[in-house]
C-alpha cells in the first residue's frame, strides 16, 4: 500500500521506516514513511495518547532550570549584549562573545525585530527561552503550548508574561514575530498551522521556524537512531525542499535559511545507536571526545549539511 505525502501529495515509491522512541526509553516502534519526491518523513498513525510522551517530569522543554529562576545578573547582562549585537551588529562586547560562541542565539538576525517587538513563542514549553529574553530586555512576550499542565506566569523584573495551555487557532492578537523553536515538527497539520498563523500577523510580521532537517549528514550516518527523529513526538521530519513547498503553497516567502546544529546531535545519536535512552543511568555525555566536536558541527553548518535549520518567512502579499 502506498502512503500519500501530506506535504506534496506524492503517493509513489514512498519508503516505510520503523523508528523507536528513544528519549524517554519506552523503545516502542512507530511507523513512518519518507516521501520519494519532497523528502519529508511523517508518522503513519499519530498515537491517540500522544500527550503521555511529553512527560513533564523529564521532557526537556517543560523543565524550568534553577539557573534561569535565579535571574543571574551577569548571565542576563551577557545575553543582553549578545542580543544587542545580533539585532543591530553594533555592540562590541556582544561581537566578542559571539566570536567565541557562534551558536548563542544564532537564530537572531539583524533588523528583523527589536526589544519592543510583540513576540509569541508557539510551542514554548515552560517558557525558558522567553525567560532568557525577558531578562535580556525584551518587553512584550507571550507563549502557548498545548502540552503544559496549566498556564504559567513568569515575572522577570519589570517584565511579566504568560505561557498558556492553548493552540494557535485560539489566539486573537497580532504579533511582530511568531516563533516556533523546534515545535513545528510536533504539529499534526502544518497546512492549518500556517493558515492560522496568518491571522495573527501584521503585514510586515515575520515567522521564525527552527526544525530538525532530515536531509543531512546525521540522517545518513545514524538513520532511525538520529537524535532529531524523536519518535513519536516529531510527527514530521522535514526536508529543506518540503519547507519551501509549504511556504509556496501558503503564500510565504522564505527570506532566510541558516543551519545551526549543536553538539547534542552527535552525542545523543551515538547513545541512541547503542540503545541508551536520554535519561538512562548509562547515558554517556562524553561518548565522543569533545576535542574537535564543535569544529565538526561548525563545518557541517557551513556546508549546509547539519540537522538543524532556521527559516524566516514573510507574507508574499502584504495587502492585509
Amino acid at each position: 500500500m502506498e502512503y500519500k505525502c501530506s506535504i506534496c501529495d506524492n503517493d509513489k515509491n514512498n519508503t516505510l521506516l520503523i523508528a523507536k522512541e528513544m528519549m524517554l526509553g519506552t523503545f516502542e516502534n512507530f511507523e513512518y514513511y519518507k516521501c520519494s519526491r519532497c523528502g519529508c518523513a511523517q508518522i503513519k498513525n499519530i498515537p491517540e495518547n500522544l500527550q503521555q510522551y511529553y512527560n513533564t517530569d523529564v521532557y526537556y522543554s517543560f523543565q524550568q532550570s534553577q539557573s534561569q529562576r535565579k535571574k543571574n545578573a551577569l548571565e542576563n547582562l551577557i545575553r543582553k549584549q549578545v542580543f544587542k549585537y545580533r539585532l543591530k551588529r553594533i555592540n562590541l562586547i556582544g561581537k566578542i562573545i559571539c566570536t567565541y560562541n557562534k551558536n548563542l542565539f544564532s537564530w537572531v538576525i539583524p533588523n528583523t525585530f527589536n526589544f519592543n517587538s510583540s513576540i509569541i513563542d508557539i510551542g514554548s514549553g515552560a517558557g525558558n527561552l522567553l525567560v532568557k529574553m525577558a531578562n535580556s530586555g525584551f518587553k512584550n512576550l507571550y507563549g502557548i503550548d498545548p502540552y503544559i499542565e496549566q498556564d504559567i506566569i513568569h515575572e522577570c523584573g519589570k517584565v511579566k508574561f504568560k505561557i498558556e495551555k492553548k493552540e494557535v487557532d485560539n489566539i486573537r492578537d497580532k504579533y511582530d514575530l511568531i516563533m516556533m523553536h523546534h515545535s513545528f515538527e510536533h504539529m499534526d497539520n502544518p497546512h492549518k498551522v500556517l493558515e492560522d498563523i496568518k491571522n495573527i500577523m501584521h503585514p510586515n510580521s515575520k515567522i521564525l521556524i527552527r526544525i530538525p532537517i532530515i536531509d543531512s549528514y546525521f540522517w545518513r550516518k545514524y538513520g532511525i537512531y538520529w537524535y532529531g527523529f524523536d519518535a513519536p513526538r516529531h510527527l514530521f521530519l522535514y526536508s529543506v525542499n518540503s519547507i519551501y513547498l509549504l511556504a509556496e503553497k501558503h503564500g510565504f516567502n522564505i527570506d532566510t535559511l541558516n543551519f545551526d546544529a549543536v553538539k547534542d546531535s552527535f552525542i545523543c545519536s551515538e547513545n541512541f545507536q547503542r540503545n541508551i535512552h536520554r535519561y538512562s543511568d548509562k547515558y554517556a555525555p562524553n561518548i565522543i571526545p569533545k576535542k574537535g566536536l564543535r569544529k565538526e558541527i561548525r563545518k557541517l553548518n557551513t556546508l549546509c549539511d547539519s540537522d538543524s535549520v532556521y527559516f524566516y518567512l514573510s507574507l508574499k502579499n502584504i495587502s492585509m
Side-chain angles (χ1 to χ4, degrees), residues 120 122 144 146 165-173 187-189 192-200:
I120 181 172
I122 298 173
I144 61 170
K165 184 178 175 67
K166 190 176 287 187
E167 299 278 3
V168 65
D169 57 3
N170 292 318
I171 306 302
R172 298 294 174 261
D173 294 330
M187 300 174 183
D188 64 351
N189 191 338
K192 183 178 186 302
V193 170
L194 290 177
E195 287 300 313
D196 288 339
I197 284 176
K198 287 182 181 179
N199 296 324
I200 63 172

Side-chain angles (χ1 to χ4, degrees), residues 85-89 105-113 206 208 255-258 310-312:
Y85 172 67
R86 296 286 192 201
L87 290 168
K88 292 291 184 180
R89 292 289 194 264
F105 304 118
S106 59
W107 48 269
V108 179
I109 60 175
N111 305 314
T112 303
F113 58 100
K206 298 286 187 180
L208 167 63
D255 304 321
T256 303
L257 182 164
N258 279 313
Y310 66 85
F311 302 84
Y312 277 89

Side-chain angles (χ1 to χ4, degrees), residues 34-190:
K34 190 172 186 297
C35 179
S36 64
R37 181 185 293 168
C38 73
C40 179
Q42 46 220 278
I43 198 165
K44 180 181 172 185
N45 296 304
I46 298 174
E48 292 183 5
N49 57 342
L50 185 60
Q51 185 151 358
Q52 80 174 33
Y53 297 98
Y54 292 87
N55 185 325
T56 56
D57 292 331
V58 295
Y59 193 63
Y60 64 94
S61 67
F62 297 107
Q63 298 175 28
Q64 299 179 58
S65 70
Q66 292 298 322
S67 62
Q68 287 173 342
R69 292 175 185 163
K70 288 179 181 177
K71 303 180 184 178
N72 183 289
L74 178 59
E75 288 184 2
N76 293 339
L77 179 61
I78 290 172
R79 292 188 189 112
K80 188 166 187 176
Q81 302 311 311
V82 169
F83 274 117
K84 283 183 176 180
Y85 172 67
R86 296 286 192 201
L87 290 168
K88 292 291 184 180
R89 292 289 194 264
I90 57 174
N91 186 279
L92 180 59
I93 297 174
K95 182 177 181 179
I96 293 170
I97 296 168
C98 291
T99 299
Y100 291 96
N101 191 339
K102 296 184 183 298
N103 285 321
L104 191 59
F105 304 118
S106 59
W107 48 269
V108 179
I109 60 175
N111 305 314
T112 303
F113 58 100
N114 57 56
F115 289 110
N116 294 312
S117 297
S118 56
I119 300 172
I120 181 172
D121 190 8
I122 298 173
S124 61
N128 291 334
L129 173 59
L130 292 178
V131 168
K132 291 178 182 178
M133 293 177 72
N135 285 330
S136 302
F138 289 90
K139 302 176 179 67
N140 192 355
L141 304 169
Y142 176 55
I144 61 170
D145 197 299
Y147 294 112
I148 57 175
E149 292 182 348
Q150 59 187 9
D151 294 352
I152 303 168
I153 296 176
H154 289 286
E155 294 190 45
C156 305
K158 295 181 180 179
V159 178
K160 183 177 180 180
F161 66 93
K162 182 180 285 190
I163 309 293
E164 293 191 309
K165 184 178 175 67
K166 190 176 287 187
E167 299 278 3
V168 65
D169 57 3
N170 292 318
I171 306 302
R172 298 294 174 261
D173 294 330
K174 295 184 183 293
Y175 294 87
D176 300 319
L177 177 66
I178 295 98
M179 305 192 301
M180 289 183 282
H181 293 270
H182 293 280
S183 60
F184 191 55
E185 64 271 24
H186 295 256
M187 300 174 183
D188 64 351
N189 191 338

Side-chain angles (χ1 to χ4, degrees), residues 235-252:
L235 307 180
F236 289 85
L237 285 308
Y238 293 100
S239 64
V240 170
N241 183 39
S242 62
I243 293 296
Y244 271 93
L245 289 173
L246 275 172
E248 179 67 27
K249 184 169 185 176
H250 294 280
F252 292 102

